[in-house]
């Protein structure tokens, strides 16, 4: 593969910066911080895990509803980047606001977390849409996968700094509380995210677009209706989205609930942070390997490999008892979480009309986000009913099995003919 272009590198390095939110806020430090605040307020471990799951379901539902509408409007010339910057700003500002939530206010903490997550995931919808603007079909698998790989590497740096601050505070070496140390981690997240968004903002342009008209909002809704009609005409696109709905549900749930799950089975915050750091390091090369293997075999084949790994994760997770078990589970997840997400994105990008990329990524977002509603709800409900967090993870196995079965009916991406014309203007 030829050297990456300036635009491709700028696009990929946004992942280097923004993935810090996924690690520190979604997966690692914030959930542990939240669990501590909830425990201090008298909330049981199973209940606080369930409330976090319900919160994730709420903000994903909101974004799923907004995604297609905003995506349709953003397909107009010059609007994609404006929407991207707006959502990114919401995410960074709300993450900064987490610092000022009073101790013990676990409900307010979840509300601000919801706004921050809306900003982060919303920005990613438009970020994904920029993939068609920075590269071509032949390079998409590796560009998308390398973006995830850089994300893991880049987010590991502020994560290490944050872990060091928290551990030094816990040991009394730094004259600050663990709460203050966690808040410093939130501040680091904001700064890192903002700095590495600059290359994309400066160097990436919207190449594929729909020309603006005099009534953009009204016309956007008309185009959205047309998109719904045309999605049905794209046979393999529809089948893939249904398959994606199921398997990405399990992936997202395991990622977002991992630290809360680890806490409930008795792992200390220190062990969890170290495991998650190593997970980041291991996930980076595996994401890139998935991209290279997809070019040799196919993205579809590697997606199936990733799904099989996650089925093993669900089975093993049910029997998890010790820190060593959690380490094994984390390494299994690390081997496939980036690859399965990256190749899903690139496979989908090859199926859609490029001028309508944001419209279609809006629907991609709907399926991904609605999937993220059912998984946490299922896990949270099961945890509350059984009183055991690990009982919920086994139920996720059905999502991966269904996804794999449906994925069987889509062609290898090596045989795909990508649409190049816009649906409507």
């Amino acid at each position: 593969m030829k050297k990456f272009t300036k635009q491709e590198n700028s696009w990929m390095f946004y992942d280097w910066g923004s993935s810090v939110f996924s690690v520190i806020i979604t997966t690692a430090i914030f959930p542990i911080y939240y669990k501590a605040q909830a425990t201090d307020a008298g909330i049981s471990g199973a209940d606080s895990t369930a409330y976090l799951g319900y919160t994730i379901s709420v903000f994903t539902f909101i974004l799923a509803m907004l995604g297609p509408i905003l995506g349709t409007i953003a397909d107009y010339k010059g609007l994609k980047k404006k929407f991207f910057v707006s959502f990114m700003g919401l995410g960074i500002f709300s993450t900064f606001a987490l610092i000022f939530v009073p101790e013990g206010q676990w409900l307010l903490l979840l509300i601000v977390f919801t706004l921050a997550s809306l900003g982060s995931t919303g920005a990613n919808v438009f970020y994904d849409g920029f993939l068609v603007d920075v590269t071509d079909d032949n390079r998409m698998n590796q560009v998308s996968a390398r973006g995830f790989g850089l994300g893991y590497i880049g987010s590991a740096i502020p994560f290490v700094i944050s872990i060091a601050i928290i551990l030094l505070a816990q040991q009394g070496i730094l004259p600050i509380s663990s709460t203050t140390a966690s808040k410093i981690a939130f501040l680091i997240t904001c700064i890192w995210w903002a700095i590495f968004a600059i290359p994309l903002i400066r160097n990436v342009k919207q190449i594929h677009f729909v020309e603006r008209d005099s009534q953009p909002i009204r016309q956007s809704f008309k185009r959205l209706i047309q998109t719904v009609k045309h999605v049905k005409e794209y046979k393999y696109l529809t089948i893939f989205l249904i398959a994606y709905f199921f398997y990405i549900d399990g992936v997202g749930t395991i990622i977002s609930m991992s630290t809360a799950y680890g806490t409930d089975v008795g792992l200390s915050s220190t062990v969890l942070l170290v495991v998650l750091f190593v997970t980041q390091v291991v996930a980076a090369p595996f994401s890139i390997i998935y991209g290279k293997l997809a070019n040799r075999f196919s993205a579809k084949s590697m997606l199936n490999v990733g799904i099989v790994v996650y089925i093993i994760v669900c089975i093993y997770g049910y029997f998890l008892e010790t820190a060593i078990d959690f380490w094994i589970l984390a390494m299994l997840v690390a081997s496939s979480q980036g690859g399965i997400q990256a190749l899903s994105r690139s496979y989908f990008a090859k199926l859609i009309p490029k001028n309508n990329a944001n419209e279609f990524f809006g629907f991609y977002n709907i399926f991904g986000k609605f999937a993220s509603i059912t998984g946490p709800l299922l896990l949270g409900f099961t945890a509350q009913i059984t009183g055991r967090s690990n009982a919920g993870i086994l139920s996720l196995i059905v999502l991966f099995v269904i996804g794999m079965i449906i994925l069987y009916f889509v062609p290898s991406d090596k045989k795909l003919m990508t649409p190049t014309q816009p649906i409507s203007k």
Side-chain angles (χ1 to χ4, degrees):
M1 187 174 182
K2 295 181 180 180
K3 182 179 179 181
F4 292 106
T5 66
K6 183 178 182 179
Q7 288 72 30
E8 288 172 339
N9 279 318
S10 296
W11 181 85
M12 290 185 290
F13 266 92
Y14 176 74
D15 222 329
W16 174 285
S18 66
S19 290
V20 66
F21 181 91
S22 177
V23 177
I24 290 181
I25 306 300
T26 303
T27 306
I29 295 175
F30 174 80
I32 295 173
Y33 176 78
Y34 155 74
K35 292 280 289 184
Q37 297 296 312
T39 299
D40 290 344
I43 307 299
S44 71
D47 282 343
S48 62
T49 297
Y51 296 147
L52 180 60
Y54 298 152
T55 300
I56 294 171
S57 296
V58 168
F59 78 71
T60 50
F61 176 81
I62 294 172
L63 191 62
M65 293 293 94
L66 292 177
I69 298 172
L70 296 176
T72 307
I73 298 174
D75 272 328
Y76 282 117
K77 184 177 181 180
L79 292 185
K80 185 187 294 189
K81 188 175 290 185
K82 291 180 180 179
F83 276 89
F84 166 76
V85 171
S86 296
F87 273 89
M88 184 187 72
L90 173 63
I92 292 174
F93 177 80
S94 298
T95 301
F96 183 69
L98 288 172
I99 298 172
F100 301 99
V101 176
E103 292 186 37
Q105 297 295 317
W106 63 272
L107 181 57
L108 180 58
L109 204 60
L110 288 179
I111 292 173
V112 179
F113 168 68
T114 298
L115 294 175
S117 298
L118 278 173
S120 174
T121 53
N124 282 338
V125 172
F126 303 105
Y127 168 68
D128 289 343
F130 272 119
L131 179 59
V132 302
D133 296 304
V134 299
T135 192
D136 58 36
D137 292 352
N138 294 328
R139 299 167 65 88
M140 277 186 185
N141 285 338
Q142 282 197 257
V143 171
S144 182
R146 190 169 184 263
F148 268 93
L150 287 174
Y152 289 123
I153 297 171
S155 59
I157 298 171
F159 186 38
V160 168
I161 296 172
S162 298
I163 290 176
I165 293 172
I166 291 172
L167 294 180
L168 290 174
Q170 290 176 343
Q171 295 172 9
I173 298 175
L174 285 179
I176 57 175
S177 66
S178 295
T179 297
T180 300
S182 296
K183 291 182 177 182
I184 291 174
F186 302 158
L187 178 60
I188 291 173
T189 299
C190 299
I191 296 172
W192 189 268
W193 184 1
I195 289 175
F196 288 101
I198 295 174
L200 187 152
I201 295 172
R202 293 184 60 182
N203 301 323
V204 174
K205 296 181 180 180
Q206 184 178 1
I207 304 300
H208 301 285
F209 52 80
V210 174
E211 291 288 350
R212 295 198 201 186
D213 50 42
S214 58
Q215 296 178 313
I217 296 179
R218 180 180 178 183
Q219 291 301 316
S220 292
F221 276 97
K222 288 184 178 181
R223 286 172 48 231
L224 183 59
I225 293 173
Q226 289 298 313
T227 298
V228 173
K229 294 179 180 178
H230 281 272
V231 164
K232 298 177 182 178
E233 297 176 10
Y234 286 82
K235 176 183 176 181
Y236 295 126
L237 178 67
T238 304
I239 295 173
F240 173 73
L241 283 175
I242 296 172
Y244 175 74
F245 173 88
F246 285 100
Y247 71 73
I248 209 65
D249 185 355
V251 172
T253 302
I254 289 172
I255 292 173
S256 63
M257 302 296 291
S258 59
T259 49
Y261 175 62
T263 299
D264 288 345
V265 296
L267 299 180
S268 69
S269 60
T270 301
V271 171
L272 284 172
L273 291 176
V274 173
V275 172
L276 288 168
F277 165 68
V278 177
T279 299
Q280 293 294 110
V281 175
V282 173
F286 271 99
S287 297
I288 297 172
I289 290 171
Y290 260 76
K292 292 183 176 180
L293 290 177
N295 277 354
R296 180 175 179 180
F297 300 104
S298 73
K300 178 184 174 181
S301 296
M302 295 311 300
L303 284 173
N304 281 316
V305 170
I307 292 172
V308 170
V309 171
Y310 267 96
I311 290 174
I312 296 172
V313 166
C314 290
I315 296 171
Y316 193 86
Y318 178 74
F319 299 100
L320 185 148
E321 294 181 353
T322 67
I324 293 177
D325 289 332
F326 194 80
W327 271 99
I328 295 172
L329 197 69
M331 294 306 100
L332 286 172
V333 171
S335 72
S336 296
Q337 68 176 7
I340 200 170
Q341 292 177 89
L343 296 182
S344 296
R345 178 171 62 188
S346 60
Y347 185 96
F348 183 77
K350 293 177 183 180
L351 287 169
I352 62 176
K354 291 180 173 54
N355 284 18
N356 300 79
N358 281 304
E359 285 184 72
F360 279 88
F361 267 109
F363 282 94
Y364 182 78
N365 177 66
I366 274 188
F367 279 78
K369 297 310 175 186
F370 265 121
S372 297
I373 294 172
T374 56
L377 281 175
L378 178 63
L379 190 149
F381 178 77
T382 307
Q384 283 194 304
I385 293 298
T386 63
R388 297 177 62 213
S389 295
N390 62 341
I393 194 169
L394 188 64
S395 64
L396 300 177
I397 195 171
V398 68
L399 302 173
F400 291 109
V401 172
I402 294 174
M404 176 178 277
I405 292 173
I406 298 174
L407 192 65
Y408 173 81
F409 296 98
V410 301
S412 166
D413 49 304
K414 290 183 176 292
K415 300 178 181 179
L416 291 175
M417 297 297 292
T418 306
T420 57
Q421 298 300 316
I423 287 176
S424 60
K425 290 189 176 184

